[in-house]
Amino acid sequence: MYQRWIISSLSILLSIVVAACSNVATSQPQQVATTPTAPQQLAQRVVALTPLSADIIYRLDQNKLVGIAGSSVLNEDSRFQDITSVAQGRTQPNLEKIVALKPDLVIGASGFSDSTLKRLQELKISTLATKIDSWKALEELTTSLAVRIGASPKPLLDKYQQLLGQDTNTNKNTSTLVLVSRQPILTPNKNSWAGDMLNQFQIKNIAADLQGKSPFGGYVTLSPEKILEANPESIILVNTPGSSEQEMIDGFKKETFWQKLEATKNNRVYVFDYLGLVNPGSIDAIEKAAQKLQKVT
């Protein structure tokens, strides 16, 4: 069981790395790589190397999406079954497959797709590097992609606002701690997608302003002593891929601090999937996370 938890923790850490590298438009200067040839032309054939960008393009204009990078998110979605896959999982995309699709725009993940995008730029193919760490970045990416393919972003932007407008959580001052990994104990601060999600739903993230030496941007490591000192009223656990909710909870129950927390004493422990909360993943995943956040008290 101990070895299984080590593997699970490594899995969620890798997911965080990919989430941090893979998905967009940031509040910092947008990382856009385009060729000098006709940057104003509307893209007609788009290859999306992240699940979220593929989902957004499909919803904006499904006829423009000609290639995707296969993932658990897209493989289980019937909308993408007939769209050419140029990669699978965390493997680097097949450059020849991308070029064969004759794309006029390839969307990749900043940090993860850099080498592929650089090669495509050398081939005079327009590219866009993306990174998402906030709700604002999601809106900016949607607008940017809509402009690039000549579609209206309004339906999706309206949907985003609807998700935020459905908030029924009336206890906004409840102190909450999000735990995305047990070994080490990691929690998101305000500079992450998860941290911004909590902020959007006015949930008090006790780690929002914490800074640390974690190698994962937007996340900090916590000691059991720090958690006991903070003593959150609510806890959100992020379910590790490959494990069940009960396994996640049982793992934390082994920690000496667990039963001493106000959140556990009052049965205010919530389990979330990492897609939607840690990694945006897709619009459906974001919507599910948003609906669950409304119930955190």
Side-chain angles (χ1 to χ4, degrees), residues 86-104:
V86 299
Q88 193 61 235
R90 298 186 179 93
T91 61
Q92 288 296 317
N94 186 309
L95 194 66
E96 292 183 358
K97 282 188 175 182
I98 295 176
V99 174
L101 291 172
K102 299 180 179 179
D104 42 26

Side-chain angles (χ1 to χ4, degrees), residues 46-49 54 65-70 74-75 80 83-87 101:
V46 180
V47 173
L49 302 180
L65 187 64
V66 298
I68 60 173
L74 302 185
N75 293 344
F80 301 95
I83 298 176
T84 301
S85 176
V86 299
L101 291 172

Side-chain angles (χ1 to χ4, degrees), residues 232-261:
E233 298 169 275
S234 294
I235 289 177
I236 292 176
L237 299 181
V238 176
N239 196 20
T240 306
S243 65
S244 68
E245 287 190 13
Q246 195 57 53
E247 286 175 325
M248 172 67 70
I249 294 173
D250 289 345
F252 274 100
K253 281 183 177 179
K254 296 177 182 178
E255 301 291 346
T256 56
F257 64 80
W258 187 253
Q259 298 299 336
K260 302 175 184 178
L261 300 176

Side-chain angles (χ1 to χ4, degrees), residues 52-60 138 141-142 145 156 283:
L52 183 58
S53 61
D55 192 13
I56 292 174
I57 290 290
Y58 191 95
R59 290 173 186 255
L60 290 172
L138 173 65
L141 172 63
T142 300
L145 293 181
L156 274 181
I283 295 172

